[in-house]
Amino acid sequence: MLEAIHLSKNFKGKKAVQDVNLYLGHGESVGLIGPNGAGKSTTISMISSLIKPTSGEIKLNGVNTITKPGEIRKILGVVPQELALYQELSAYENLHFFGSIYKMQGKELKDSIEQALEIVGLTDRQKDLVKTFSGGMKRRVNIAAALLHRPEILILDEPTVGIDPQSRNHILETVRMLNEKEGTTILYTSHYMEEVEQLCDRLYIMDHGEIIAAGTKAELLSILSTEDTFKLELSKLDGNFIERVRAIEGIRKVEAFQLQMKIIAKKGSNLISELVHLADQQHIQIINFQTETPSLEDVFLHLTGRTLRD
Amino acid sequence: MKAVLWAQFCKDKRNPLVVLLFIAGSILATLLFAGGVSSPTTVPIFSEEKNASEIEKKWESLLNVSDSFRFEIMDPKQARENVRDGNIDVAVKVMATDYRLVANSERPTVSYVQQHVEKVFNREAQISAIAKTQGEENVRSEIENYLEDAPFQLDTQGLDSEHIPKYNLSIQLLFAFTFLISMFIAGLKVNNVTNDKVSGVWNRMILSSISKTSMYCGYVLYSFLITLVQVLVVLLLFKYVMDYEVGDHLWLIILIAAFFIFSMISIAMLITGFVRSPEQFYAIYPSLIPMIPLISGSYMLPGTITNPVLLFIADLFPMVHAIEAIMSVVFYSAGFEDVIMSLLLMLLIGVVAMGLGINLMERRGH
């Protein structure tokens, strides 16, 4: 349906996005994940025809959307990261405006507004001014504004930033419903791994402007099939101990936080006795020890050497 | 375009205070600085002679012949105290045939009062001298009758008509302040483009079915209409409520104001093209705007500014052309043909500034 081919974007000589290849199939829900500054927003700005790429192509059903942006704009809904709303207007008035710019009017516009408000669960607050809404409600109006013209593709740029868990769940449920019941193709960007794990069939992991991994959740997890993850809770933790753990053969990554350690090691490494021995030598008591099933967060850590929120 | 216009007006409907404050500000500034509430300068007179009351009454009636000054009898002690405290610039101590000015500094008012008082006392001295030599009691009325039909009379006549209009700076200031405030409103409203760009609403519009031309037209038309309303309210108020003499061609004045507003919106658009955020605009625009009427000489009588560099800079802004055209309509009953050059100059400034401004904004967008 929609594909980005060797997409790159430079800003004043600085490479923001490099050689990105991305595919969205009809009715798919695809996640684009990466830390802040990874190039996700720039990528979706190019895909949605807001900015022109320095090089590369974007094709919608084979038609180049860089030269014919109107093709994608007709079927695209974008939920921007910022709250692109008029705070002084009510939710209804905002949606009326955003519907009008899609040349909708009369009953068609009214029905679309009602439907969008129902989807985001704000029918009873439609007359209230947006500036009186909570952060989560504002985000929901932000989503509703992108649904008015019933887009085939919906791009959501970090739609859950800075909101409470209840609103976050509401938004995730809305996106899931749009994908599963309405058949809307979703491109969801986030730096919350659990969100994309929940929502998306396939994932693209971005870092420093590049796609560093892509595939289904199972495919990405298989990257770590040669590794085991251990989590330790200790009575105390110092730099010396961390360094000595790092030196153990088979250990690939060590991450320490307060009194906890996360260790990624070569699969089958018999680490337990060595760790216990080392802790004993340092007079450190191991309070808790568990083997973890690798998560996508671990995949990201493995690929980039840092966590998503670093 | 209709959708953009509707949304902008809806925002104003929710928060009309800013526009109302600007309209009120425009009226207040005109009243305060353009002499709308001006009254003649009050000058106390007093006498310390034996027959003080008689002398004071005599000179009070003789001195009160000018619209610029009102001479009032005051207690000598009070008058001196007022001058000392700076409450008044000058007081006049009158004697039977002479006077003294009481002032604490050399201010312009002192010399104006002196000129007037001197003239009245000289005239009275001449009449008294004639009366003494002629020995006639009714010499004063004879002189006055004679002067009414004097053998040498000065008659002034205009080039095109017998009537020579009196140039009224208050009317010029009315337009100067109205336009000054209108420039602020226009800029504030044009800045909605930058606000919407920062908030992301602009991008939403780009992705919609609305064309960029319609988007820009919506913002420009909205800014134009709201500024025109402000100018109209102020002008109509001053013409019909406060009886300001703004001539018989109100439609032509409104037309000139419309051209001025368009070109000022274009200049605001040009400044918008240079800034990255609404805050930058708020910092730059209000610093530049008050300079335009100053350079254009809008607060001064025509011909006050003679520096060619300043005159050239003033020509680059629409204010000088608007004021010139309006003053010729108000005072010289100029018609459409007479002001067409000023209108074209404002249009040219507007088109160039708008073109540059939109171009800069679009380049920034990419």
Side-chain angles (χ1 to χ4, degrees):
Chain A
M1 188 182 192
L2 180 70
E3 53 186 330
I5 308 155
H6 300 300
L7 216 52
S8 295
K9 180 70 186 174
N10 298 347
F11 288 115
K12 292 179 181 171
K14 196 182 168 193
K15 287 179 179 173
V17 170
Q18 289 180 67
D19 202 30
V20 162
N21 290 293
L22 192 143
Y23 177 79
L24 268 180
H26 189 269
E28 261 195 316
S29 178
V30 174
L32 181 61
I33 194 138
N36 289 329
K40 304 188 297 293
S41 294
T42 308
T43 304
I44 61 168
S45 290
M46 287 191 284
I47 290 172
S48 55
S49 79
L50 279 172
I51 54 171
K52 282 190 176 170
T54 309
S55 63
E57 282 182 297
I58 301 160
K59 286 185 175 174
L60 176 72
N61 299 323
V63 178
N64 189 337
T65 64
I66 298 169
T67 50
K68 290 181 179 170
E71 295 295 315
I72 195 163
R73 287 176 186 177
K74 279 189 286 192
I75 60 155
L76 184 71
V78 177
V79 181
Q81 196 172 341
E82 63 271 25
L83 293 164
L85 302 166
Y86 286 125
Q87 304 280 331
E88 306 91 335
L89 303 188
S90 69
Y92 187 91
E93 286 168 337
N94 265 287
L95 298 183
H96 185 280
F97 166 64
F98 290 116
S100 303
I101 60 175
Y102 279 95
K103 312 269 185 213
M104 284 195 267
Q105 52 185 335
K107 194 175 180 306
E108 185 199 10
L109 176 59
K110 198 170 169 257
D111 291 347
S112 284
I113 295 171
E114 278 169 13
Q115 198 186 354
L117 283 166
E118 204 179 308
I119 290 171
V120 298
L122 285 173
T123 308
D124 55 335
R125 298 290 304 271
Q126 58 180 297
K127 296 259 167 77
D128 294 351
L129 301 187
V130 168
K131 66 181 174 191
T132 63
F133 285 2
S134 68
M137 285 161 75
K138 285 178 184 172
R139 293 248 161 231
R140 277 146 67 185
V141 183
N142 211 25
I143 293 174
L147 302 177
L148 290 162
H149 61 296
R150 296 182 180 89
E152 286 178 42
I153 303 172
L154 184 64
I155 297 180
L156 298 105
D157 189 5
E158 310 214 13
T160 58
V161 169
I163 59 170
D164 58 284
Q166 199 185 352
S167 294
R168 192 175 169 196
N169 286 339
H170 196 288
I171 287 172
L172 295 180
E173 276 311 307
T174 305
V175 176
R176 194 201 307 277
M177 189 277 289
L178 285 167
N179 178 239
E180 290 174 359
K181 290 190 181 161
E182 307 279 328
T184 311
T185 306
I186 305 283
L187 178 59
Y188 190 98
T189 81
S190 179
H191 61 263
Y192 295 113
M193 192 62 90
E194 60 277 19
E195 286 183 4
V196 284
E197 274 190 80
Q198 253 185 68
L199 286 176
C200 304
D201 311 321
R202 285 193 302 117
L203 298 171
Y204 288 89
I205 298 179
M206 265 192 108
D207 194 30
H208 298 303
E210 288 178 282
I211 300 278
I212 52 170
T216 61
K217 188 179 166 187
E219 283 168 347
L220 290 172
L221 287 175
S222 70
I223 294 171
L224 296 183
S225 62
T226 57
E227 291 173 349
D228 284 326
T229 304
F230 304 102
K231 212 169 177 183
L232 279 77
E233 197 182 336
L234 305 161
S235 61
K236 62 175 182 175
L237 189 58
D238 57 37
N240 183 37
F241 181 69
I242 296 167
E243 285 312 308
R244 292 189 70 174
V245 172
R246 277 203 180 111
I248 297 172
E249 199 185 332
I251 286 190
R252 288 181 178 166
K253 269 191 186 75
V254 175
E255 205 189 334
F257 177 70
Q258 290 179 345
L259 294 176
Q260 291 185 339
M261 276 182 95
K262 191 172 184 178
I263 300 167
I264 297 173
K266 192 179 161 189
K267 203 164 187 74
S269 308
N270 188 12
L271 286 178
I272 301 168
S273 60
E274 273 193 80
L275 283 170
V276 171
H277 180 67
L278 196 61
D280 195 40
Q281 271 186 343
Q282 301 279 315
H283 307 292
I284 294 171
Q285 193 187 344
I286 297 174
I287 298 163
N288 194 1
F289 184 98
Q290 59 187 102
T291 308
E292 272 198 345
T293 311
S295 66
L296 287 173
E297 196 84 50
D298 300 318
V299 174
F300 188 83
L301 180 68
H302 169 81
L303 292 168
T304 65
R306 58 202 172 101
T307 61
L308 259 173
R309 291 177 201 89
D310 272 353
Chain B
M1 187 175 78
K2 259 164 50 184
V4 178
L5 209 57
W6 175 85
Q8 301 303 320
F9 276 117
C10 263
K11 285 197 290 176
D12 276 335
K13 195 179 78 183
R14 284 279 143 69
N15 190 14
L17 198 66
V18 178
V19 175
L20 292 177
L21 277 176
F22 272 111
I23 291 175
S26 178
I27 295 165
L28 271 177
T30 309
L31 289 175
L32 284 173
F33 301 110
V37 288
S38 72
S39 52
T41 309
T42 303
V43 183
I45 56 169
F46 63 90
S47 178
E48 289 167 330
E49 305 294 300
K50 278 180 186 169
N51 51 345
S53 171
E54 194 185 319
I55 292 171
E56 284 168 352
K57 275 184 186 154
K58 176 193 162 193
W59 288 114
E60 187 191 20
S61 60
L62 289 169
L63 285 167
N64 276 322
V65 288
S66 164
D67 293 338
S68 307
F69 306 107
R70 189 171 64 237
F71 292 88
E72 278 181 3
I73 299 167
M74 197 181 274
D75 175 62
K77 197 179 162 193
Q78 180 70 45
R80 285 180 201 280
E81 208 172 285
N82 280 347
V83 172
R84 192 171 48 243
D85 295 346
N87 298 334
I88 47 172
D89 290 346
V90 60
V92 186
K93 179 187 171 184
V94 286
M95 291 161 269
T97 56
D98 204 357
Y99 71 94
R100 295 283 182 275
L101 294 183
V102 181
N104 66 4
S105 62
E106 273 298 326
R107 293 190 184 170
T109 328
V110 179
S111 54
Y112 297 145
V113 170
Q114 187 178 8
Q115 277 175 28
H116 177 72
V117 174
E118 180 88 23
K119 199 171 147 191
V120 172
F121 270 81
N122 276 341
R123 187 184 148 98
E124 277 307 300
Q126 284 165 355
I127 292 171
S128 300
I130 293 165
K132 268 183 192 169
T133 50
Q134 299 279 319
E136 289 176 28
E137 286 297 312
N138 57 347
V139 69
R140 178 186 294 278
S141 58
E142 269 182 39
I143 290 169
E144 276 167 2
N145 290 337
Y146 181 74
L147 283 175
E148 268 175 23
D149 189 25
F152 294 104
Q153 291 186 26
L154 183 68
D155 190 22
T156 49
Q157 200 171 346
L159 285 172
D160 302 321
S161 66
E162 288 184 2
H163 173 66
I164 290 190
K166 191 183 170 196
Y167 199 90
N168 186 347
L169 189 63
S170 294
I171 302 290
Q172 185 185 312
L173 288 174
L174 158 69
F175 287 101
F177 285 114
T178 306
F179 285 166
L180 172 71
I181 302 289
S182 77
M183 287 192 278
F184 279 102
I185 294 192
L188 203 73
K189 297 304 171 189
V190 168
N191 197 29
N192 281 359
V193 176
T194 325
N195 273 315
D196 287 352
K197 282 192 169 180
V198 170
S199 73
V201 171
W202 183 265
N203 279 350
R204 276 212 152 123
M205 285 194 270
I206 287 175
L207 293 175
S208 72
S209 321
I210 194 171
S211 69
K212 251 189 188 164
T213 312
S214 294
M215 284 159 67
Y216 279 113
C217 283
Y219 285 98
V220 169
L221 187 60
Y222 157 72
S223 311
F224 178 81
L225 290 176
I226 206 115
T227 315
L228 190 63
V229 166
Q230 177 256 334
V231 172
L232 280 178
V233 168
V234 176
L235 285 187
L236 295 177
L237 192 79
F238 274 91
K239 181 172 168 63
Y240 294 110
V241 180
M242 297 184 184
D243 283 332
Y244 265 59
E245 189 47 63
V246 293
D248 301 323
H249 303 298
L250 189 65
W251 68 271
L252 192 53
I253 292 174
I254 293 168
L255 184 73
I256 297 164
F259 272 76
F260 169 77
I261 292 166
F262 165 71
S263 53
M264 267 324 295
I265 285 171
S266 303
I267 288 175
M269 197 67 101
L270 177 64
I271 296 171
T272 308
F274 285 105
V275 299
R276 286 182 184 277
S277 66
E279 290 74 23
Q280 275 185 351
F281 184 88
Y282 291 134
I284 294 169
Y285 192 76
S287 319
L288 290 176
I289 290 310
M291 283 194 267
I292 296 177
L294 282 176
I295 295 169
S296 306
S298 307
Y299 304 139
M300 298 158 235
L301 283 165
T304 309
I305 296 177
T306 52
N307 185 310
V309 178
L310 283 180
L311 290 173
F312 172 75
I313 296 170
D315 277 342
L316 299 176
F317 293 99
M319 188 95 172
V320 71
H321 307 295
I323 293 286
E324 192 181 293
I326 285 179
M327 291 305 107
S328 59
V329 172
V330 172
F331 297 125
Y332 308 108
S333 298
F336 180 73
E337 295 81 14
D338 303 312
V339 297
I340 200 160
M341 186 50 79
S342 300
L343 294 180
L344 286 174
L345 282 169
M346 285 191 279
L347 190 67
L348 178 70
I349 294 167
V351 169
V352 171
M354 183 75 77
L356 285 171
I358 291 177
N359 199 281
L360 282 169
M361 271 193 274
E362 287 302 305
R363 277 168 189 268
R364 182 151 290 176
H366 292 294

